[in-house]
Amino acid sequence: MRIYPPAYGIARSAARDTEIGGFPVREGETVVISQWLFHRDGRFFKDPLRFDPDRFLPEREARILKYAYLPFGGGRRICIGNHFALTEGQIILETIARRFTMEPASSRSLRFEPMITLRPKGPVPVI
C-alpha cells in the first residue's frame, strides 16, 4: 500500500488562487499529487524502498506525518471504501499466509500498468 499504492496519483482542481511550495496555482487549474513519489521519499520514510510492516505499528505510525501516507487519498475526499479494503486485504492475506508460504518465482523486476489503479503488467509468478 505504501510502496505500490493502488491510487498512485490524485488530481484536484484548485477552488481558488493559492500557492503550493512556492508555485502559484490559479483557480480552476489541476494539481496532481503523486503518492508513488512521496510514499518513496526519504524525508517521510526512513529507508523508503524497504518493505517494513513494522512502520505501521501503533507507536511508530503515530510519528508518520498526517498526509505523508495516503493510499486512499485524504481529507474530505478520501475513498469511502478505505476501511473495507484494508479489512478485506488483511483477511485475504491472513487466510493465504496461514496455508501457504510464497516467494517470487524469479528475480525479474515487476512492470506496472498504471490505469485507474496501479496493477502489475502481466502475471506475478510465485512459488
Side-chain angles (χ1 to χ4, degrees):
M1 298 295 291
R2 186 184 63 79
I3 299 174
Y4 302 108
Y8 57 94
I10 299 172
R12 296 287 183 260
S13 294
R16 64 181 181 281
D17 290 351
T18 190
E19 185 178 295
I20 301 174
F23 294 94
V25 178
R26 301 291 169 235
E27 180 179 346
E29 290 182 334
T30 301
V31 176
V32 177
I33 302 165
S34 174
Q35 294 96 306
W36 176 273
L37 293 176
F38 65 80
H39 284 181
R40 296 160 176 261
D41 191 319
R43 293 175 296 176
F44 307 122
F45 298 98
K46 181 181 176 188
D47 198 6
L49 297 181
R50 185 169 65 90
F51 175 68
D52 179 10
D54 290 346
R55 289 180 205 271
F56 297 97
L57 291 172
E59 62 274 10
R60 289 181 65 193
E61 186 175 27
R63 292 189 298 245
I64 298 172
L65 294 175
K66 183 174 182 178
Y67 290 109
Y69 176 69
L70 37 107
F72 297 99
R76 296 182 317 179
R77 302 212 182 264
I78 192 166
C79 175
I80 63 171
N82 68 326
H83 294 295
F84 174 76
L86 289 171
T87 301
E88 179 184 45
Q90 289 173 348
I91 291 169
I92 291 169
L93 182 59
E94 191 274 334
T95 301
I96 293 169
R98 182 185 308 160
R99 298 183 62 206
F100 303 99
T101 300
M102 293 185 291
E103 59 186 67
S106 74
S107 59
R108 179 180 66 90
S109 295
L110 290 176
R111 293 180 46 201
F112 295 95
E113 194 166 17
M115 298 178 75
I116 291 174
T117 58
L118 183 67
R119 60 189 72 202
K121 186 170 187 164
V124 180
V126 295
I127 297 172

